[in-house]
Every structure is written in C-alpha cells, then in structure tokens.
Amino acid sequence: MSSSEYSAPGLGDRRLRLAARARTVSVEVWVLGALIVLAAVIRIVTLDNQSFWADEALTAYEAGLPFGAMLHTVARVETTPPLYFAVVWGWARLFGTGNIALRSVSAIAGVALVPIAYLCARELVSRRAGVLAAAFVAVNPFMVWYSQEARSYMLLAALTGASFLWFVRSRRDPSPRNLVWWAVVSAAAVMTHFFAGFAVAPEAVWLLWTARTRAAAIAVAAVAAVQVAMLPFAVADASASHGAGWIARTPRLNRITTMVIEWGASNLYRRGTKLEGLAGGLVLAVVVVVLLVRGGDSISRRGAKVGAAIAGFVFLVPLALGFAGPDYFLSRNEIPAFVPLVTVVAAACVAPRARLAGAAVAVVLLALFCFTTVDVQTHPYLERPNWRAVAKSLGPASAPRAILAADSTTADPLKIYLPGVAWVQPQARRVLISEIDIVGATKRLALAQPTGLTTPATGRSVGAGAEPPGRKLKPGSPEPRSVAPPGARLLTRFRVDNWIVARFALIRPERVSILELERMAPRFFRRTPARLLIFTQPRAR
C-alpha cells in the first residue's frame, strides 16, 4: 500500500464537519449569498464603462485636495454634508482618484444594501420576503446606476437602510445595544445627506413613543445633536450660490413621474411620458394594496405598514415643504425611502393567500429590472456623456490651448481627463495660447442671445447670452465652424459620439482671458451655445 492511500490525520473528519455545517445552512441564506455575488458582478464588471459626469468630476477634484481645502470646498459648493467626501478623500489616498477607485465606494455600499434589504424584510415579514427584497435591490437599475457613481447617494441608501434595520430591531427590542446601533448609523446618515433626516425623524419619534426608556431618549438626543451640527451646511445649501435652484424650476409633476419611472427603469424615463409614469406607479400601488388586503396575513400587513409609514414620510414631507420653502424633491434625493418601499412590495408579493398573483408580480418586476439594467449598460445614449472619449480625441496639448466646450452643465469632466488643467481658473487672467479647440454638439442645446453675461470666476461661462427671465432660449445644434475665422486656420474637424471637435491654430499666439474667449466664441461656432465651459490647458511636458 502506497503512502498516497493514507489520508492526512483528521482531514476526513474535517470535511465531514464542513459538509454537515453546509447542510444546516438554510436555502434562503444560500440564495442571499448568490444575490450578493450577482450584485457585486453587475456593479463591478461595468464600473469603468462610463465616463465621469459633471458631479463626479467635482468629487474627483475635491478628493485630490488637502483635507482642509476639501472641507472648505464642500461647504462652499456642495449641497450635502461632508461625511461622504471625507470617506472618499481617505479612500483616494489609498487607491487614487480614477473612475474605478472613486466609484468603488458606492459599489461597495450598493452591494452591502442587498443583505440590508434582506434583513429588513426578514425582520418585518419573513425570510421569503427578505430574499425577494434582496433580489429587487440586487438587479434594480436605479440601484445599479447609483452604485456606479462617485457621489453620496448609494452611501446614503446603505446608511438609511441600516438605520431602518436597527429601528425595526429597536422597535421590537429597545435594548441599549440595538438603540446604540440605530443611533450610530442614523447619525452617519444625516452626516451624509440632508434627506436622511426625513427617514430618521419618524423612526426617532416612533422609538420615543414605543420604547419610552432613558436609553431611547439618549439615542434620539444624540442623533438630534448631530443633525443640529449639520445645520450650517443646510443653511449654506439653501443659498443661491449652491445652484440647486434648477430642481424647483423643473415642474413638480415632471419630477414625480420621472422618479416613478427611474426607480423601476432607470434612464428609460427618457423614453417615457408623464402619463406612463403616473399610470405605472398607480397600477403598482393598487396591486400591492390589493395583494396585502386580500392575500396578506397579520404579519405581512403589519410589516408593510411599518415600511409604508417610513417611505410615505420620506416622500410626502419634502413634497409638502416644497410648497412653502425650498423644493428639493428629486428621485435620487428620495433614495432613503427605497429599502422601506422594497419591504412593502416584497411583503405583498409573498402574501400567503395570494402566492400565485404575488409571484407573478415579483417575476414581472424582476424581469423589468433585469431588462432595463442590461439596456442601459448597452446603449450609450442612455449612459453618462462620454467626456472621456472627447478628452482622448483632443489628445495631449502640443501647444498651449484654450478649450471651449458646449453645454457647461455637463462638460466639467474634461478638466479631470485633460492633464495639467486647473479646476478653478480666474476669468480675467490672461494666458498665452496658440490654439483654440472647439467642442460642439450635434444634439440640440439652448443657443446664445447677445447679452454677454458671465458667471463668477470658476472657469465656467454661460456663453454670449444667458437665458432672459421668463424667456426660453432658442434650441439648436452648436456645431463648430468648418472655415477658420481671420487670424486662425482650421487644423482638423471630426466627430466623437454626439460631439463635433474642431481645432484652430492661431496665426500668432495671443494672450487672452476666459472673458475674452467668451466674446470670441461666435467666431468659432456656427451657432453659439448659451452655456459654455471655457478653460485653458498648458503645453504637455
């Protein structure tokens, strides 16, 4: 008998013990593990597929600053509290500020939301509801989109989801341990985004009412103290300089219907109408109510009521406040309601006396989510603008140049992808340039009126004409000229996705400022866009 026929001492026993343990793990836990892996694959494999968009570029800029300067910039230009940016700042010190590095924070939070949703629905309803809630989160295109964005929304979703979980546990068992965990994650949530308060506030009142203990009062007071500490950021956020007024300028009904479509079909809202959004949301709400009323038992109904109460507060209170003050109701701001809402839908789908109907609803929703997730990831016009491709087409700066890009509301990533470009450039400072690169667009944008207005010295310009109050600017395609103006010659003109890029060499190098370049814009555009991003780039070394 050879030595290979002998097994290592204890190896067989160890394998038997591992196999016995595996058999004791419930089917739901195995399915949850598979859903976590699926969520990770969906989010990570395509994490670098899309370019940064404007707000992500701002995150990348802030993450590269010294810590004090980052906090100062966040307080001055951001519309949320600083926790996410502090986390990303530390993360960037380890992994850099590239697309994958910065977005991985949101990807991790997005994957973590899967077990959080499972635990919430399991605690309130059942294991089957937990699995279904986890499945909804894993493949939901709205969750996938913000899991791949270097902004605070997915961290907000994870923290408010965890707050909801510990609220549910504290509601059942107001032990110091449960209340401490609720206070910690709730405080972190309100330090991440102001809309977290709309989820945390009803939880706090509910706990005070049901627990009526000293520990509950201390936990709520601690979270309230953190919320008060965030008030200076909220005051700054309400100022006109923060630029969130565009939300209120968008019709409220449009934002509501967009949210309904976005939460179920992500960017397919661009194909939908207001009527379709309202009808879809109303049909789903009616189906969920009917399933719970006709097929639910006391447990599923009770759990759904808890989720509906928190989600309803998050939805309705910001809407009501918008009639009396600042209106910030927006689909991504409402993300704290997602886990409570998913719990309600999962409770309806597993209603004991309507299992076939509930299963059919679950299959339809999961099929819609999966189809939309694939559709968005495979159709560029549904994705973020591909400014990375534009920057690549511009290439290294062989001479000091100025870049005039149409649609300043989205073009900021160019300043991240082009080396040597300062994020903030004083508009009045003159810089020697030998070349002017024009990034025009084939899509229709607002065209300029001859008013000559500009924005503050941030390197951003509104072009030759801002939108006059009460008057809508004429739309059109702001393409660059195909013939060079006097004093310049056209070197090249080509198309990149929805943009047309033209490079003009100046006959003689000139010292010009951003303000002067703004006035020169009509010489290089066939039709000048109302909003331009103008900046300079030094010659590559």
Side-chain angles (χ1 to χ4, degrees):
M1 181 180 292
S2 66
S3 60
S4 62
E5 297 179 34
Y6 290 98
S7 60
L11 184 59
D13 292 341
R14 193 178 302 115
R15 287 175 177 171
L16 289 173
R17 286 197 299 271
L18 290 174
R21 288 179 184 174
R23 284 194 295 270
T24 62
V25 176
S26 66
V27 175
E28 288 84 0
V29 173
W30 284 112
V31 174
L32 174 63
L35 289 171
I36 292 171
V37 172
L38 175 64
V41 170
I42 292 172
R43 288 152 175 78
I44 294 171
V45 168
T46 57
L47 195 58
D48 194 37
N49 277 13
Q50 301 180 45
S51 164
F52 278 147
W53 79 291
D55 284 2
E56 289 183 289
L58 180 57
T59 300
Y61 163 68
E62 291 162 345
L65 294 172
F67 189 75
M70 179 273 294
L71 288 179
H72 175 73
T73 303
V74 167
R76 190 166 55 90
V77 304
E78 289 290 355
T79 59
T80 56
L83 180 62
Y84 168 79
F85 301 100
V87 171
V88 166
W89 185 89
W91 192 263
R93 294 300 167 280
L94 297 175
F95 304 106
T97 58
N99 285 40
I100 294 177
L102 289 186
R103 287 174 173 167
S104 58
V105 173
S106 295
I108 293 169
V111 174
L113 195 63
V114 175
I116 289 172
Y118 166 80
L119 292 170
C120 289
R122 188 195 70 177
E123 296 269 346
L124 279 173
V125 186
S126 67
R127 288 180 179 270
R128 290 178 63 241
V131 169
L132 194 53
F136 286 150
V137 170
V139 298
N140 179 271
F142 187 75
M143 292 291 103
V144 173
W145 181 272
Y146 285 103
S147 294
Q148 297 180 325
E149 182 165 293
R151 297 296 284 176
S152 63
Y153 301 106
M154 194 46 57
L155 181 61
L156 169 66
L159 289 173
T160 51
S163 173
F164 182 63
L165 171 62
W166 288 104
F167 156 71
V168 169
R169 290 178 171 176
S170 299
R171 177 175 163 270
R172 186 191 66 243
D173 173 23
S175 65
R177 176 180 178 273
N178 287 341
L179 289 166
V180 165
W181 274 111
W182 174 81
V184 168
V185 294
S186 297
V190 298
M191 292 173 65
T192 301
H193 198 286
F194 297 119
F195 266 63
F198 294 116
V200 171
E203 293 172 359
V205 173
W206 203 323
L207 289 176
L208 284 176
W209 179 257
T210 57
R212 302 186 184 186
T213 63
R214 184 169 177 270
I218 292 173
V220 170
V223 176
V226 173
Q227 183 72 82
V228 169
M230 296 298 106
L231 284 180
F233 292 95
V235 172
D237 185 34
S239 66
S241 64
H242 273 237
W246 65 270
I247 298 177
R249 289 193 296 270
T250 305
R252 187 177 286 105
L253 183 61
N254 287 13
R255 285 179 277 138
I256 293 172
T257 55
T258 295
M259 188 193 75
V260 173
I261 301 175
E262 255 194 299
W263 279 37
S266 187
N267 283 355
L268 263 66
Y269 75 86
R270 298 173 186 174
R271 299 175 181 169
T273 65
K274 288 188 287 186
L275 180 60
E276 290 170 342
L278 286 174
L282 182 60
V283 168
L284 180 60
V286 170
V287 168
V288 167
V289 171
V290 169
L291 287 175
L292 287 169
V293 172
R294 300 294 297 273
D297 57 11
S298 60
I299 295 176
S300 59
R301 290 174 187 166
R302 194 181 308 118
K305 286 178 182 178
V306 174
I310 302 301
F313 196 93
V314 177
F315 287 135
L316 298 178
V317 172
L319 274 175
L321 291 176
F323 287 99
D327 185 359
Y328 296 136
F329 183 93
L330 197 64
S331 56
R332 59 179 179 258
N333 288 345
E334 292 294 322
I335 211 167
F338 198 86
V339 169
L341 185 63
V342 161
T343 301
V344 175
V345 177
C349 290
V350 301
R353 295 190 298 275
R355 289 187 176 180
L356 287 179
V361 172
V363 168
V364 169
L365 288 175
L366 290 172
L368 171 65
F369 294 167
C370 291
F371 168 79
T372 307
T373 296
V374 173
D375 200 38
V376 170
Q377 294 288 350
T378 54
H379 288 83
Y381 75 92
L382 293 174
E383 298 175 349
R384 297 169 179 88
N386 195 1
W387 291 108
R388 181 169 51 185
V390 176
K392 185 177 180 181
S393 71
L394 289 171
S398 57
R401 64 188 180 188
I403 296 172
L404 283 66
D407 195 6
S408 66
T409 56
T410 69
D412 278 339
L414 283 176
K415 294 191 287 188
I416 294 295
Y417 290 125
L418 290 172
V421 175
W423 183 268
V424 178
Q425 298 185 8
Q427 289 196 340
R429 185 182 64 191
R430 289 188 166 187
V431 177
L432 183 68
I433 62 168
S434 302
E435 185 181 288
I436 294 179
D437 289 1
I438 303 297
V439 182
T442 59
K443 62 182 179 179
R444 292 169 66 81
L445 300 171
L447 299 179
Q449 300 293 329
T451 61
L453 297 178
T454 58
T455 58
T458 61
R460 173 173 290 177
S461 167
V462 294
E467 185 171 343
R471 190 196 309 170
K472 212 148 175 70
L473 293 177
K474 180 182 177 181
S477 299
E479 297 183 10
R481 295 186 182 275
S482 54
V483 177
R489 56 192 175 90
L490 178 63
L491 298 180
T492 184
R493 190 175 186 273
F494 53 90
R495 180 168 177 167
V496 182
D497 294 338
N498 292 326
W499 295 277
I500 296 180
V501 179
R503 175 165 294 159
F504 297 90
L506 300 180
I507 302 302
R508 294 185 182 86
E510 296 181 34
R511 286 193 175 275
V512 293
S513 67
I514 289 174
L515 293 174
E516 291 167 332
L517 286 165
E518 181 185 351
R519 291 191 288 270
M520 293 166 59
R523 295 167 51 191
F524 297 92
F525 281 95
R526 285 180 178 172
R527 289 178 288 186
T528 309
R531 297 169 184 84
L532 275 170
L533 179 69
I534 303 176
F535 58 90
T536 60
Q537 182 184 15
R539 179 178 180 177
R541 295 180 179 179

